[in-house]
Amino acid sequence: MELYESKTKKELIDIINQLEKQVEQLSSHLTIERNIKKAAKKTVEGNADILRSVQYERILTYEEEIADTPSFSYDTLYLNATSDNPLSEIEELRRINLLLNVVLNNVPVYLFMKDAKNDFRYVYFNKTFADYSGITPESAIGRNDFEIFPDATDVERFHRDDLHVLKMGRVEFTEEYITKNGEERMTKTVKSVVKSSEGHPYIIGMSWDMTDIMQMKKELITSRIKAEESDRLKSAFLSNMTHEIRTPLNAIVGFSRLMVDSELKSEQNQYADIIDKNSTVLLNLFNDILDLSALETGTFDLDVSTIRVHDVLDQLYNQFKDSTQPHVELILDSMDETQCMESDLKRILQIGNHLLSNAVKFTSQGAINLGFTKKRDMIQFYVHDTGIGISPKRSASIFLRFDKGDKFVQGSGLGLPICRMLVERMGGQIWVQSKLSKGSTFYFTLPINASQVML
């Protein structure tokens, strides 16, 4: 079967057509076999009992060889036919029949044959079809679809297909079905009408499983769409990076020249302050890019220690309390000041810094609340603001790389993706709840004892 798994669809159809021709030839051979048997009976009438015994023993030997030998060669089964022994020709036909049956039972194709003149009853049902349908050949041979399949809807469809193929001579179609194990599968089916030498019509059906191929096709389409989207976002990101780097760099270069030319101490101090702020922006941008690269390549190290949660949030509060816009108040909510955890202090501060920077940037009035709650063996941090909010569509992609919420606000768009990757690396989760014009609440959880999680 491994040989056939590498075949293309066209090659499989060619194989099936060859099998149809072999079945027609076999039908003719069987007619010849009946005639030979009659002639043999007259020729060896005096020794009929002995010859039949020899023939029966040889046929049993062939069947045992085929049943007991997984892989066999043509030479093993070959018998030298002699013109003066008609029984050798009968044995050769029998050998061909057994060999063909072994081949048909091992090809990765569902094969069956129905007698169109006998209520479409099965006269052949190969092992591959039996394995997938859960119906043994013994229970199928001599019965029709109504007697072996439990689903009446499927049976009616099979019967309509049989009537249609009798009119058309050949049909092809793709269909879905559910196996007895409840698995959904998709198959390509070809049905043809063949006639025996007496003109008796039979329907030969051939199906092969397309489920894995179709699933692979869907995955390739999905991967292509993701790759195209990633490429688009990356291009937008690089364009944005160019702008984000050029802006502070131009300020640093420009005001450095002005500071050199200025003779007033007050102007020099003002220019130095502008240079310092833009240098900080530029340094933070490069740090974000380096952090993202380290997280993606798995070379990011964490320094775990015992920290008091209140001290972390108090440090963030003192850092941002004077950075809010004029009509916005930063509030540190009441909490358990004794709560401690095992984690990386520097990385928690980095996550909180990104979240608070966004809250300050997008909140022009109201308040920004900072705090935490204990959830079993996790600490759940939160940053709540009364800012512009985020649409549901934006909320779904806001933690993705190369995705920036507002193109008109300064920032690289790397902050939230870095937060997500840091939180996941530290054994937690991060998410957002937001409504447009109502504000946003960012949550992230970290384990209280993260020493084992972060190893």
Side-chain angles (χ1 to χ4, degrees), residues 185-212:
R185 309 294 296 181
M186 178 177 291
T187 59
K188 174 75 173 182
T189 301
V190 178
K191 287 186 177 181
S192 302
V193 176
V194 296
K195 294 183 179 180
S196 65
S197 56
E198 294 87 4
H200 194 96
Y202 294 91
I203 294 178
I204 293 182
M206 293 154 282
S207 300
W208 54 94
D209 195 284
M210 300 282 290
T211 308
D212 295 337

Side-chain angles (χ1 to χ4, degrees), residues 17-54:
N17 290 333
Q18 291 175 9
L19 290 176
E20 288 182 7
K21 293 180 181 178
Q22 290 181 7
V23 171
E24 293 178 2
Q25 294 174 359
L26 178 60
S27 178
S28 299
H29 287 324
L30 291 176
T31 301
I32 295 172
E33 180 182 351
R34 287 195 295 269
N35 295 332
I36 292 175
K37 283 183 178 179
K38 293 178 182 179
K41 183 177 180 182
K42 294 179 181 180
T43 303
V44 294
E45 184 176 357
N47 299 312
D49 293 337
I50 297 174
L51 290 172
R52 279 195 296 270
S53 175
V54 172

